[in-house]
Amino acid sequence: MRGINRLLLVAAFTSIATASAFASEVHVMISGGFTAAYKELVPQFEKATGNTVVTAYGPSMGETPQAIPMRLARGEPADVLIMVGYALGDLVSKGKVIADSRVDLADSPIGVAVKEGAPKPDLSSADTLKVALLKTRTVAYSDSASGVYVSKEMFEKLGIADAMKDKARKIPATPVGEIVARGEAEIGFQQISELKPVKGIDIVGPLPAELQKITVFSAGLASNAPQPDAGKALIAFLSSKQAAPVIVASGLEPKVK
């Protein structure tokens, strides 16, 4: 279990997990940024607790059918929501998430990607990135938190908002790295943790420090959670020290180290 001692995990979860002999089915809705770590950690949680995790994937925001707010609006079952922190906060304010159940899991920096083997833009400063963006023909960014920042704030900071109107496009629901890998965009912006699983791209690096925007990914318990105790146990596991190495390997910075 990659260094996680099963007996220690079971002991850690006992106080909050369902104390019955019957396993629970935990329904989770999760957005892309935390997904790589989540996919590796969930089997460990299932083995340690006997619970089964059922997962629905989608953006933290937006109006695509897969978006977490849209899934909730349709009445899809959810015990745990894992998504961009401020989007989770919005669901708290709407009564969809129990306020004191929120736990911040990890910080996620925005990265820059190009097609594998393609020339790499200079990310040493904001000015060098600006030059690269003005020269490139096509740019892609996500429809989630990183894309909102890139399109609404970063281009403005660089003074190139008008120049980017015809060459930059928002990618709904699909990982930006896949668009870059197919050659449909020369440069792509998304959280590094969402770029890392994609084949066919080179991750050039994080945005220059003066342009970087850290996104916090958080977990919370849905207000109408069918399995609240099992949901709490999952959140406790994902925010534990034992989970931290997997989170780091996925390109995120865990809040608990």
Side-chain angles (χ1 to χ4, degrees):
M1 294 208 332
R2 300 198 46 138
I4 299 180
N5 185 293
R6 181 177 183 275
L7 294 177
L8 288 177
L9 278 177
V10 172
F13 298 154
T14 298
S15 63
I16 53 178
T18 305
S20 106
F22 298 100
S24 297
E25 189 173 81
V26 188
H27 286 262
V28 177
M29 293 183 185
I30 181 171
S31 63
F34 199 77
T35 296
Y38 171 85
K39 285 183 175 180
E40 187 166 347
L41 290 168
V42 160
Q44 299 175 15
F45 171 80
E46 291 178 321
K47 186 175 181 180
T49 63
N51 294 327
T52 300
V53 179
V54 179
T55 308
Y57 299 95
S60 294
M61 59 199 76
E63 297 182 355
T64 60
Q66 300 92 343
I68 290 174
M70 301 299 288
R71 289 182 180 277
L72 291 174
R74 289 197 300 270
E76 291 188 26
D79 295 294
V80 175
L81 306 176
I82 303 171
M83 55 198 295
V84 171
Y86 67 78
L88 187 72
D90 183 56
L91 293 178
V92 169
S93 68
K94 293 177 179 177
K96 301 289 187 181
V97 175
I98 299 171
D100 62 6
S101 72
R102 173 176 171 166
V103 175
D104 292 338
L105 300 174
D107 290 334
S108 179
I110 299 171
V112 181
V114 297
K115 187 178 176 65
E116 188 174 25
K120 297 177 180 178
D122 184 349
L123 302 182
S124 59
S125 71
D127 287 339
T128 58
L129 177 59
K130 176 180 178 178
V131 170
L133 288 173
L134 289 173
K135 287 182 178 179
T136 197
R137 291 172 298 175
T138 51
V139 175
Y141 56 89
S142 79
D143 65 344
S144 196
S146 62
V148 171
Y149 166 72
V150 166
S151 61
K152 302 295 185 183
E153 297 183 47
M154 191 185 81
F155 291 159
E156 289 286 350
K157 287 181 181 179
L158 292 174
I160 59 172
D162 288 339
M164 300 306 293
K165 284 180 180 178
D166 294 329
K167 64 172 68 177
R169 66 185 179 107
K170 178 169 68 174
I171 308 300
T174 302
V176 169
E178 293 182 10
I179 302 299
V180 174
R182 294 200 295 261
E184 297 174 19
E186 293 177 298
I187 294 177
F189 296 98
Q190 197 160 24
Q191 271 94 10
I192 291 175
S193 61
E194 295 186 67
L195 293 172
K196 286 191 76 170
V198 180
K199 298 185 183 301
I201 64 172
D202 289 328
I203 300 175
V204 185
L207 286 175
E210 63 266 41
L211 294 175
Q212 186 59 259
K213 177 82 167 182
I214 299 296
T215 297
V216 178
F217 282 93
S218 306
L221 195 67
S223 299
N224 58 350
Q227 299 291 339
D229 289 333
K232 290 175 185 176
L234 177 59
I235 294 172
F237 171 50
L238 296 176
S239 59
S240 69
K241 289 183 179 180
Q242 292 93 333
V246 173
I247 294 173
V248 170
S250 76
L252 298 168
E253 285 217 13
K255 289 293 193 179
V256 176
K257 301 178 183 180

